[in-house]
Amino acid sequence: MKISIVTAAYNSAATIRDTIESVLSQDYPDIEYIVADGASKDGTVDILKSYGNKIKWVSEKDSGIYEAMSKGVAMATGEVVGIMGSDDFYPDNQVISKVAKAFQESKADSVYGDLYYVDSEDINKVVRNWKSGKYDKRRFLMGWMPPHTAFFLKKSAYDAFGLYDTSFRSAGDYELMLRMLYKHNVSSFYIPEVLMKMRTGGTSNASLKNRIRANKEDRRAWVINEITPRWYTLYAKPLSKVLQWVVK
């Protein structure tokens, strides 16, 4: 089973080498790594060039992160696709092996795990613990979603149900997972382990204004998929994140 990993990048020279090394150091033998860069101007492209044929990459202007992710997924030739940010990294070198084993044993069309948010200056300091829990599609009605960068999906699901909706600015990942898992009943399997570490500073949570916009986009994700949440679903979603700050 070939697994493709896709990173969307823009002016990521400060962190992307860590991200690339995290992927290339995995012990799984069949990984394709793709970086879709939005025409960076800070030295990111020079870093990408330095890896030669170890990675696939493209650098050109795009409309934002979801167009870049879609571009990367379209380039992927693996049976499974995973997404990671340009400042994310795996907690160890066995993550992709665990993911491949979970796909093979569960026969599911998607696999997900847990995620740590770490301090941007001290990556050994965990500031949020996103513990996903066992899969049940009804949990979407309680505001649940799996961590996007700890979520792996078969390429066949993208082929059948589409890529990211580029009209979204911060909730395109939520919309995609809602569409795949809730609307189209794509099967999923939970690995109860941390599969990704993410530096703090995500777009949707960067300010109150962005959080309000993200909540509006969450609502639109249900509308465009012609599915109806409970009256409390979109209030529960941001509230559910409060527990992530209680790091155990």
Side-chain angles (χ1 to χ4, degrees):
M1 174 185 287
K2 180 192 288 187
I3 296 182
S4 300
I5 306 300
V6 172
T7 292
Y10 181 68
N11 288 346
S12 304
T15 58
I16 196 167
R17 191 178 295 277
D18 288 346
T19 302
I20 295 170
E21 291 295 333
S22 174
V23 176
L24 297 184
S25 67
Q26 292 293 299
D27 67 0
Y28 189 71
D30 199 0
I31 296 176
E32 173 185 61
Y33 187 45
I34 301 165
V35 179
D37 177 69
S40 291
K41 302 176 179 64
D42 69 338
T44 298
V45 174
D46 291 333
I47 293 173
L48 298 177
K49 288 178 179 178
S50 72
Y51 282 91
N53 61 5
K54 292 181 180 179
I55 65 175
K56 291 183 178 181
W57 62 274
V58 61
S59 182
E60 57 192 23
K61 288 186 178 181
D62 54 49
S63 63
I65 190 170
Y66 297 119
E67 182 181 353
M69 288 178 181
S70 289
K71 190 181 300 180
V73 173
M75 293 170 61
T77 61
E79 184 179 343
V80 169
V81 180
I83 304 291
M84 68 189 305
S86 59
D87 55 1
D88 299 347
F89 55 98
Y90 294 122
D92 57 60
N93 70 344
Q94 300 168 38
V95 168
I96 303 304
S97 291
K98 294 172 186 175
V99 168
K101 182 180 179 182
F103 270 105
Q104 291 162 353
E105 294 183 351
S106 70
K107 308 301 181 185
D109 290 319
S110 66
V111 164
Y112 68 94
D114 301 330
L115 180 146
Y116 277 162
Y117 286 89
V118 297
D119 186 273
S120 59
E121 301 298 326
D122 180 2
I123 61 174
N124 294 311
K125 181 181 179 181
V126 177
V127 296
R128 287 174 63 184
N129 179 4
W130 190 333
K131 190 173 180 62
S132 305
K134 192 173 181 179
Y135 182 66
D136 183 339
K137 68 170 285 185
R138 294 172 296 181
R139 294 180 67 198
F140 272 102
L141 296 170
M142 301 299 297
W144 177 88
M145 65 179 284
H148 182 219
T149 57
F151 177 73
F152 297 79
L153 181 65
K154 284 190 174 178
K155 181 71 180 298
S156 58
Y158 286 106
D159 294 338
F161 305 122
L163 301 171
Y164 293 88
D165 186 328
T166 58
S167 69
F168 285 83
R169 294 183 63 190
S170 59
D173 49 348
Y174 178 64
E175 188 280 323
L176 179 122
M177 290 186 285
L178 182 69
R179 180 180 359 126
M180 296 290 179
L181 300 178
Y182 192 84
K183 181 178 181 178
H184 292 295
N185 293 303
V186 170
S187 59
S188 199
F189 180 80
Y190 171 54
I191 301 175
E193 295 184 36
V194 174
L195 300 184
M196 185 67 72
K197 290 188 175 182
M198 175 185 290
R199 289 177 173 87
T200 53
T203 300
S204 64
N205 298 308
S207 68
L208 177 60
K209 180 180 178 182
N210 286 354
R211 184 60 258 168
I212 292 171
R213 183 183 70 199
N215 191 256
K216 289 180 178 178
E217 290 200 349
D218 292 344
R219 188 176 303 277
R220 187 161 68 88
W222 288 82
V223 171
I224 67 173
N225 283 293
E226 300 178 332
I227 48 179
T228 305
R230 299 286 190 265
W231 67 266
Y232 49 78
T233 300
L234 298 172
Y235 298 102
K237 185 171 179 287
L239 289 174
S240 69
K241 295 185 177 182
V242 172
L243 290 177
Q244 295 174 14
W245 296 93
V246 184
V247 180
K248 296 181 179 181

